[in-house]
Amino acid sequence: MTTLNNRRNLSQQLILEHSKKPRHRGKTEIIHRSKCGDNPSCGDKIELTVQLNSEGNVIEDIKFEGEGCAISIASADLMAEALCGKSVTEALEMVLCFRGLMKGEAEFPSKLNKLNVFQGVAQFPVRVKCATLCWHTLRAALEVEGF
Ligand code: ZN
C-alpha cells in the first residue's frame, strides 16, 4: 500500500469517526451569533451557534445542530474543534484557507492539519459543497451583524 493510500484511508476514518460521534453537536450556552445553512444538492442542513468573548472578537465556543451526510457533519465538527479559542479574524482567514483547500490551492499549517483530511474531497465537486457548507455558514454568522 502506498503512502498516499494510507493517508486517504486515515482521512476517511477521521471523517467517519467525527460524523458518527460529533463532539460539538448542540447549542452554545450563550448564543451571540447563529446562522442556518443548507446544501439542497445533498440535503445537508446545519445551524451554527457561536459564543464570543466579552469583547466580541474571540470565539469561545461553537456548536452545530442539523443533519447531513458524513462529510458535512464531520466538516462541521472538525471546524468547531479547530475554531474554539481563535479570533474572529483568524476564523475568517481559515474560511478562505478552506476554500483554497477545496480548489487544491492551499493547505492548513501543521497545527491545524486535521482540517487537511478534506483535501481528498476536492476531487469531487458535488462533495465540495457538503464540506464547505459549515464554513460558508460560519462566515455568514460572523459577518451578518457586523462590528
Ligand atoms: Zn452532503
Side-chain angles (χ1 to χ4, degrees):
M1 197 185 277
T2 66
T3 312
L4 186 67
N5 271 334
N6 274 329
R7 196 170 156 184
R8 196 167 290 161
N9 286 340
L10 281 173
S11 297
Q12 283 168 352
Q13 272 173 28
L14 198 67
I15 289 172
L16 274 177
E17 190 190 306
H18 278 269
S19 65
K20 279 186 189 154
K21 285 185 191 161
R23 289 159 218 179
H24 298 267
R25 202 181 253 292
K27 287 197 159 114
T28 55
E29 214 169 299
I30 303 168
I31 299 171
H32 291 118
R33 303 291 168 91
S34 72
K35 193 78 190 167
C36 294
D38 72 326
N39 169 26
S41 64
C42 177
D44 310 317
K45 280 193 172 83
I46 61 162
E47 182 187 3
L48 285 183
T49 49
V50 182
Q51 182 172 337
L52 301 169
N53 66 342
S54 51
E55 284 83 25
N57 58 7
V58 173
I59 295 172
E60 288 196 329
D61 196 14
I62 179 157
K63 289 216 160 80
F64 72 97
E65 282 189 335
E67 48 196 62
C69 63
I71 289 174
S72 65
I73 298 299
S75 186
D77 201 46
L78 282 159
M79 180 188 81
E81 185 176 294
L83 283 171
C84 288
K86 294 278 186 298
S87 72
V88 170
T89 313
E90 283 173 313
L92 292 171
E93 278 165 11
M94 285 163 68
V95 173
L96 291 178
C97 190
F98 196 86
R99 269 197 218 156
L101 185 74
M102 289 297 106
K103 289 180 190 158
E105 293 168 357
E107 249 183 58
F108 283 94
S110 55
K111 61 180 172 158
L112 292 169
N113 72 4
K114 256 184 163 184
L115 293 170
N116 290 327
V117 299
F118 295 99
Q119 214 159 23
V121 172
Q123 298 160 35
F124 307 98
V126 178
R127 309 310 266 167
V128 166
K129 286 186 182 171
C130 302
T132 44
L133 170 64
C134 59
W135 292 92
H136 282 306
T137 310
L138 172 80
R139 197 178 63 113
L142 293 176
E143 290 183 342
V144 74
E145 287 160 66
F147 284 95

